[in-house]
Amino acid sequence: VLIDFKNPAALSAAFLPGYPTLVSTGQVITLTLRVNNTAPNPGADSLGTRPAAVVKVSGGGGDFVLDSGPIPSSQTVPGFSQRDFVFTYTATSAGTVVFSTYALGTDANTLEQRISTWTTTSLITVQQAGALAASLTLTPTLLTPAGQINAYLTVTNTGGTTLNSVVPTINFSPGTLTQFTAAPAPVTLSPGSSTTFIWSFSPSATGTYSLTAYAAGPDAISGLTQTSASYSGQAIVRSPDVLTSSISLSPANASTSQLVTLIMKIGRA
């Protein structure tokens, strides 16, 4: 009888480096767990090898939600070979998080369960992402075609991470406004800081003009674009008023020392 002797399967597991250790909320990270079957040749395969449920240890309220994984859910790890399992998570709240797990499988020869030791990631810090709040002011809101409309968009970073290259966008209708100021330059906004973007327009016709503006910029940690809500305002352009006036005396004929009434009437043509 030919007996095929093999070394028993032996598992070890480790998270591969390369994942970020500083992230902001909303950022997606990928964790790769590498499982090794360290049985020397000839070594038994580890069947149905899979990660155990991942344990998250949170500090200061930090948290992630699982988007996908492990991928694959299980696989065979031949003797003296390795296989990877991939997880993706999204950061949901600020604080710190450490991920831990281990691998388990079944020895193909003995059908005994094999379990690796625990493995743990480095401490991952989650910051609150940057966020933009804004307000739009138009002055004046009533003018003639000879005047100009000034638009002021004040933007504040209300989040916890710096926003780089924050740029404003303004749209208007109808399209009979001429912008005669240069487009505002991008700015960097640290948490809590604010800036005001200014535009000046010259109307070429009467009517009601609607202007809408917002700002956007990438989070300095995740690179994800953060966008403010859109804010609107209106300005009314109308022709200059033409005034008329008339003067009358009552009575039309009077004697010396007699009181007369002077009436001046002013109206709009």
Side-chain angles (χ1 to χ4, degrees):
V1 177
L2 179 64
I3 301 177
D4 184 14
F5 289 98
K6 288 190 176 182
N7 293 306
L11 298 179
S12 66
F15 286 106
L16 297 183
Y19 53 86
T21 55
L22 176 62
V23 301
S24 59
T25 52
Q27 184 173 347
V28 176
I29 68 169
T30 298
L31 298 178
T32 301
L33 180 73
R34 176 158 294 174
V35 178
N36 285 276
N37 182 351
T38 59
N41 286 326
D45 294 347
S46 174
L47 304 177
T49 310
R50 62 200 182 278
V54 175
V55 175
K56 294 179 295 181
V57 179
S58 173
D63 200 8
F64 286 80
V65 295
L66 177 66
D67 296 325
S68 65
I71 298 175
S73 58
S74 67
Q75 55 187 317
T76 296
V77 183
F80 212 64
S81 298
Q82 59 192 27
R83 295 292 186 269
D84 292 341
F85 298 86
V86 178
F87 303 80
T88 59
Y89 290 87
T90 297
T92 55
S93 58
T96 60
V97 176
V98 170
F99 296 87
S100 297
T101 190
Y102 60 90
L104 63 162
T106 301
D107 187 295
N109 281 2
T110 65
L111 300 183
E112 294 178 348
Q113 187 178 67
R114 301 300 183 192
I115 299 176
S116 76
T117 57
W118 283 83
T119 182
T120 301
T121 65
S122 299
L123 185 74
I124 301 175
T125 300
V126 183
Q127 284 188 194
Q128 190 64 38
L132 291 174
S135 63
L136 178 66
T137 302
L138 303 181
T139 59
T141 55
L142 179 63
L143 67 157
T144 68
Q148 73 178 45
I149 302 171
N150 299 308
Y152 303 88
L153 182 69
T154 299
V155 180
T156 302
N157 181 356
T158 59
T161 301
T162 295
L163 296 174
N164 295 324
S165 300
V166 176
V167 293
T169 298
I170 191 165
N171 299 299
F172 52 84
S173 64
T176 52
L177 287 177
T178 300
Q179 181 177 337
F180 59 86
T181 54
V187 299
T188 295
L189 292 178
S190 58
S193 65
S194 62
T195 191
T196 299
F197 299 104
I198 302 173
W199 300 265
S200 293
F201 300 93
S202 175
S204 57
T206 58
T208 299
Y209 290 86
S210 297
L211 293 89
T212 302
Y214 65 91
D219 184 286
I221 295 176
S222 68
L224 297 174
T225 297
Q226 303 295 326
T227 303
S228 75
S230 187
Y231 297 86
S232 299
Q234 288 188 332
I236 298 173
V237 180
R238 67 186 188 191
S239 299
D241 290 333
V242 177
L243 300 179
T244 62
S245 63
S246 64
I247 297 177
S248 63
L249 291 173
S250 180
N253 298 304
S255 302
T256 57
S257 301
Q258 182 180 350
L259 293 176
V260 295
T261 300
L262 173 66
I263 299 175
M264 183 177 184
K265 294 182 178 180
I266 299 175
R268 180 184 296 169

